[in-house]
PDB file of all heavy atoms in Angstrom:
ATOM      1  N   ALA B 179      -1.082  -1.631  -5.092  1.00 97.00           N
ATOM      2  CA  ALA B 179      -1.551  -0.616  -6.032  1.00 97.00           C
ATOM      3  C   ALA B 179      -1.991   0.646  -5.302  1.00 97.00           C
ATOM      4  O   ALA B 179      -1.722   1.763  -5.740  1.00 97.00           O
ATOM      5  CB  ALA B 179      -2.704  -1.167  -6.869  1.00 97.00           C
ATOM      6  N   LEU B 180      -2.625   0.474  -4.160  1.00 97.00           N
ATOM      7  CA  LEU B 180      -3.123   1.627  -3.408  1.00 97.00           C
ATOM      8  C   LEU B 180      -2.011   2.361  -2.668  1.00 97.00           C
ATOM      9  O   LEU B 180      -2.209   3.479  -2.190  1.00 97.00           O
ATOM     10  CB  LEU B 180      -4.191   1.180  -2.411  1.00 97.00           C
ATOM     11  CG  LEU B 180      -5.532   0.751  -3.002  1.00 97.00           C
ATOM     12  CD1 LEU B 180      -6.441   0.211  -1.920  1.00 97.00           C
ATOM     13  CD2 LEU B 180      -6.197   1.932  -3.695  1.00 97.00           C
ATOM     14  N   ALA B 181      -0.839   1.752  -2.581  1.00 96.00           N
ATOM     15  CA  ALA B 181       0.239   2.320  -1.767  1.00 96.00           C
ATOM     16  C   ALA B 181       0.851   3.571  -2.381  1.00 96.00           C
ATOM     17  O   ALA B 181       1.545   4.321  -1.707  1.00 96.00           O
ATOM     18  CB  ALA B 181       1.315   1.271  -1.518  1.00 96.00           C
ATOM     19  N   ASP B 182       0.607   3.819  -3.638  1.00 96.00           N
ATOM     20  CA  ASP B 182       1.233   4.960  -4.300  1.00 96.00           C
ATOM     21  C   ASP B 182       0.277   6.139  -4.478  1.00 96.00           C
ATOM     22  O   ASP B 182      -0.847   5.957  -4.959  1.00 96.00           O
ATOM     23  CB  ASP B 182       1.771   4.519  -5.667  1.00 96.00           C
ATOM     24  CG  ASP B 182       2.471   5.654  -6.366  1.00 96.00           C
ATOM     25  OD1 ASP B 182       3.659   5.863  -6.101  1.00 96.00           O
ATOM     26  OD2 ASP B 182       1.805   6.359  -7.165  1.00 96.00           O
ATOM     27  N   PRO B 183       0.721   7.352  -4.099  1.00 96.00           N
ATOM     28  CA  PRO B 183      -0.148   8.534  -4.181  1.00 96.00           C
ATOM     29  C   PRO B 183      -0.614   8.856  -5.603  1.00 96.00           C
ATOM     30  O   PRO B 183      -1.744   9.298  -5.785  1.00 96.00           O
ATOM     31  CB  PRO B 183       0.718   9.666  -3.628  1.00 96.00           C
ATOM     32  CG  PRO B 183       2.104   9.147  -3.610  1.00 96.00           C
ATOM     33  CD  PRO B 183       2.013   7.663  -3.490  1.00 96.00           C
ATOM     34  N   THR B 184       0.256   8.618  -6.583  1.00 96.00           N
ATOM     35  CA  THR B 184      -0.149   8.875  -7.973  1.00 96.00           C
ATOM     36  C   THR B 184      -1.307   7.963  -8.361  1.00 96.00           C
ATOM     37  O   THR B 184      -2.278   8.404  -8.989  1.00 96.00           O
ATOM     38  CB  THR B 184       1.018   8.636  -8.936  1.00 96.00           C
ATOM     39  OG1 THR B 184       2.122   9.451  -8.541  1.00 96.00           O
ATOM     40  CG2 THR B 184       0.627   8.973 -10.354  1.00 96.00           C
ATOM     41  N   ARG B 185      -1.216   6.701  -7.963  1.00 97.00           N
ATOM     42  CA  ARG B 185      -2.296   5.778  -8.320  1.00 97.00           C
ATOM     43  C   ARG B 185      -3.587   6.138  -7.591  1.00 97.00           C
ATOM     44  O   ARG B 185      -4.685   6.037  -8.163  1.00 97.00           O
ATOM     45  CB  ARG B 185      -1.868   4.339  -8.009  1.00 97.00           C
ATOM     46  CG  ARG B 185      -0.789   3.825  -8.947  1.00 97.00           C
ATOM     47  CD  ARG B 185      -0.612   2.328  -8.863  1.00 97.00           C
ATOM     48  NE  ARG B 185       0.085   1.889  -7.671  1.00 97.00           N
ATOM     49  CZ  ARG B 185       1.405   1.759  -7.588  1.00 97.00           C
ATOM     50  NH1 ARG B 185       2.168   2.036  -8.620  1.00 97.00           N
ATOM     51  NH2 ARG B 185       1.960   1.344  -6.471  1.00 97.00           N
ATOM     52  N   ARG B 186      -3.475   6.584  -6.354  1.00 97.00           N
ATOM     53  CA  ARG B 186      -4.694   7.009  -5.652  1.00 97.00           C
ATOM     54  C   ARG B 186      -5.292   8.226  -6.341  1.00 97.00           C
ATOM     55  O   ARG B 186      -6.519   8.336  -6.484  1.00 97.00           O
ATOM     56  CB  ARG B 186      -4.374   7.329  -4.187  1.00 97.00           C
ATOM     57  CG  ARG B 186      -3.958   6.106  -3.395  1.00 97.00           C
ATOM     58  CD  ARG B 186      -4.042   6.351  -1.901  1.00 97.00           C
ATOM     59  NE  ARG B 186      -3.122   7.371  -1.412  1.00 97.00           N
ATOM     60  CZ  ARG B 186      -1.849   7.137  -1.116  1.00 97.00           C
ATOM     61  NH1 ARG B 186      -1.331   5.942  -1.268  1.00 97.00           N
ATOM     62  NH2 ARG B 186      -1.075   8.106  -0.656  1.00 97.00           N
ATOM     63  N   ALA B 187      -4.423   9.119  -6.820  1.00 96.00           N
ATOM     64  CA  ALA B 187      -4.915  10.293  -7.547  1.00 96.00           C
ATOM     65  C   ALA B 187      -5.651   9.859  -8.816  1.00 96.00           C
ATOM     66  O   ALA B 187      -6.688  10.426  -9.160  1.00 96.00           O
ATOM     67  CB  ALA B 187      -3.751  11.214  -7.891  1.00 96.00           C
ATOM     68  N   LEU B 188      -5.117   8.829  -9.474  1.00 97.00           N
ATOM     69  CA  LEU B 188      -5.793   8.322 -10.673  1.00 97.00           C
ATOM     70  C   LEU B 188      -7.183   7.802 -10.326  1.00 97.00           C
ATOM     71  O   LEU B 188      -8.163   8.062 -11.039  1.00 97.00           O
ATOM     72  CB  LEU B 188      -4.953   7.214 -11.316  1.00 97.00           C
ATOM     73  CG  LEU B 188      -3.740   7.696 -12.116  1.00 97.00           C
ATOM     74  CD1 LEU B 188      -2.812   6.540 -12.470  1.00 97.00           C
ATOM     75  CD2 LEU B 188      -4.200   8.419 -13.376  1.00 97.00           C
ATOM     76  N   LEU B 189      -7.279   7.069  -9.237  1.00 97.00           N
ATOM     77  CA  LEU B 189      -8.589   6.571  -8.814  1.00 97.00           C
ATOM     78  C   LEU B 189      -9.530   7.740  -8.508  1.00 97.00           C
ATOM     79  O   LEU B 189     -10.717   7.697  -8.845  1.00 97.00           O
ATOM     80  CB  LEU B 189      -8.439   5.680  -7.572  1.00 97.00           C
ATOM     81  CG  LEU B 189      -7.705   4.350  -7.775  1.00 97.00           C
ATOM     82  CD1 LEU B 189      -7.679   3.561  -6.486  1.00 97.00           C
ATOM     83  CD2 LEU B 189      -8.354   3.539  -8.891  1.00 97.00           C
ATOM     84  N   ASP B 190      -8.976   8.788  -7.893  1.00 96.00           N
ATOM     85  CA  ASP B 190      -9.798   9.968  -7.606  1.00 96.00           C
ATOM     86  C   ASP B 190     -10.336  10.582  -8.897  1.00 96.00           C
ATOM     87  O   ASP B 190     -11.509  10.944  -8.980  1.00 96.00           O
ATOM     88  CB  ASP B 190      -8.975  11.014  -6.845  1.00 96.00           C
ATOM     89  CG  ASP B 190      -8.696  10.597  -5.403  1.00 96.00           C
ATOM     90  OD1 ASP B 190      -9.486   9.806  -4.853  1.00 96.00           O
ATOM     91  OD2 ASP B 190      -7.695  11.055  -4.832  1.00 96.00           O
ATOM     92  N   ARG B 191      -9.467  10.668  -9.911  1.00 96.00           N
ATOM     93  CA  ARG B 191      -9.898  11.241 -11.201  1.00 96.00           C
ATOM     94  C   ARG B 191     -11.007  10.400 -11.814  1.00 96.00           C
ATOM     95  O   ARG B 191     -11.969  10.919 -12.360  1.00 96.00           O
ATOM     96  CB  ARG B 191      -8.725  11.327 -12.174  1.00 96.00           C
ATOM     97  CG  ARG B 191      -7.560  12.172 -11.730  1.00 96.00           C
ATOM     98  CD  ARG B 191      -7.904  13.645 -11.586  1.00 96.00           C
ATOM     99  NE  ARG B 191      -6.773  14.452 -11.158  1.00 96.00           N
ATOM    100  CZ  ARG B 191      -6.262  14.457  -9.925  1.00 96.00           C
ATOM    101  NH1 ARG B 191      -6.796  13.700  -8.994  1.00 96.00           N
ATOM    102  NH2 ARG B 191      -5.227  15.217  -9.621  1.00 96.00           N
ATOM    103  N   LEU B 192     -10.848   9.091 -11.720  1.00 96.00           N
ATOM    104  CA  LEU B 192     -11.869   8.210 -12.297  1.00 96.00           C
ATOM    105  C   LEU B 192     -13.141   8.230 -11.469  1.00 96.00           C
ATOM    106  O   LEU B 192     -14.251   8.069 -12.003  1.00 96.00           O
ATOM    107  CB  LEU B 192     -11.334   6.783 -12.418  1.00 96.00           C
ATOM    108  CG  LEU B 192     -10.233   6.592 -13.463  1.00 96.00           C
ATOM    109  CD1 LEU B 192      -9.764   5.155 -13.489  1.00 96.00           C
ATOM    110  CD2 LEU B 192     -10.717   7.032 -14.833  1.00 96.00           C
ATOM    111  N   PHE B 193     -12.986   8.425 -10.168  1.00 96.00           N
ATOM    112  CA  PHE B 193     -14.170   8.530  -9.308  1.00 96.00           C
ATOM    113  C   PHE B 193     -14.962   9.781  -9.695  1.00 96.00           C
ATOM    114  O   PHE B 193     -16.192   9.770  -9.719  1.00 96.00           O
ATOM    115  CB  PHE B 193     -13.732   8.590  -7.844  1.00 96.00           C
ATOM    116  CG  PHE B 193     -14.867   8.596  -6.860  1.00 96.00           C
ATOM    117  CD1 PHE B 193     -15.731   7.516  -6.774  1.00 96.00           C
ATOM    118  CD2 PHE B 193     -15.052   9.681  -6.016  1.00 96.00           C
ATOM    119  CE1 PHE B 193     -16.775   7.515  -5.860  1.00 96.00           C
ATOM    120  CE2 PHE B 193     -16.100   9.679  -5.094  1.00 96.00           C
ATOM    121  CZ  PHE B 193     -16.954   8.601  -5.016  1.00 96.00           C
ATOM    122  N   ALA B 194     -14.215  10.840 -10.040  1.00 95.00           N
ATOM    123  CA  ALA B 194     -14.862  12.094 -10.443  1.00 95.00           C
ATOM    124  C   ALA B 194     -15.489  11.967 -11.831  1.00 95.00           C
ATOM    125  O   ALA B 194     -16.594  12.436 -12.082  1.00 95.00           O
ATOM    126  CB  ALA B 194     -13.848  13.235 -10.424  1.00 95.00           C
ATOM    127  N   ARG B 195     -14.761  11.321 -12.743  1.00 95.00           N
ATOM    128  CA  ARG B 195     -15.302  11.135 -14.097  1.00 95.00           C
ATOM    129  C   ARG B 195     -14.803   9.812 -14.660  1.00 95.00           C
ATOM    130  O   ARG B 195     -13.622   9.649 -14.923  1.00 95.00           O
ATOM    131  CB  ARG B 195     -14.874  12.293 -15.008  1.00 95.00           C
ATOM    132  CG  ARG B 195     -15.481  12.205 -16.411  1.00 95.00           C
ATOM    133  CD  ARG B 195     -15.413  13.532 -17.147  1.00 95.00           C
ATOM    134  NE  ARG B 195     -14.042  13.894 -17.476  1.00 95.00           N
ATOM    135  CZ  ARG B 195     -13.415  13.490 -18.588  1.00 95.00           C
ATOM    136  NH1 ARG B 195     -14.056  12.727 -19.452  1.00 95.00           N
ATOM    137  NH2 ARG B 195     -12.176  13.854 -18.831  1.00 95.00           N
ATOM    138  N   ASP B 196     -15.702   8.894 -14.830  1.00 94.00           N
ATOM    139  CA  ASP B 196     -15.356   7.536 -15.246  1.00 94.00           C
ATOM    140  C   ASP B 196     -15.157   7.469 -16.756  1.00 94.00           C
ATOM    141  O   ASP B 196     -15.645   8.316 -17.495  1.00 94.00           O
ATOM    142  CB  ASP B 196     -16.489   6.584 -14.836  1.00 94.00           C
ATOM    143  CG  ASP B 196     -15.956   5.386 -14.065  1.00 94.00           C
ATOM    144  OD1 ASP B 196     -14.760   5.363 -13.763  1.00 94.00           O
ATOM    145  OD2 ASP B 196     -16.745   4.474 -13.766  1.00 94.00           O
ATOM    146  N   GLY B 197     -14.375   6.469 -17.202  1.00 94.00           N
ATOM    147  CA  GLY B 197     -14.255   6.214 -18.625  1.00 94.00           C
ATOM    148  C   GLY B 197     -13.246   7.069 -19.360  1.00 94.00           C
ATOM    149  O   GLY B 197     -13.362   7.261 -20.562  1.00 94.00           O
TER     150      GLY B 197
END
Side-chain angles (χ1 to χ4, degrees):
Chain B
L180 289 175
D182 182 85
T184 304
R185 290 194 285 271
R186 293 197 296 277
L188 283 168
L189 293 182
D190 288 334
R191 300 295 180 287
L192 291 179
F193 184 63
R195 184 162 68 87
D196 231 6

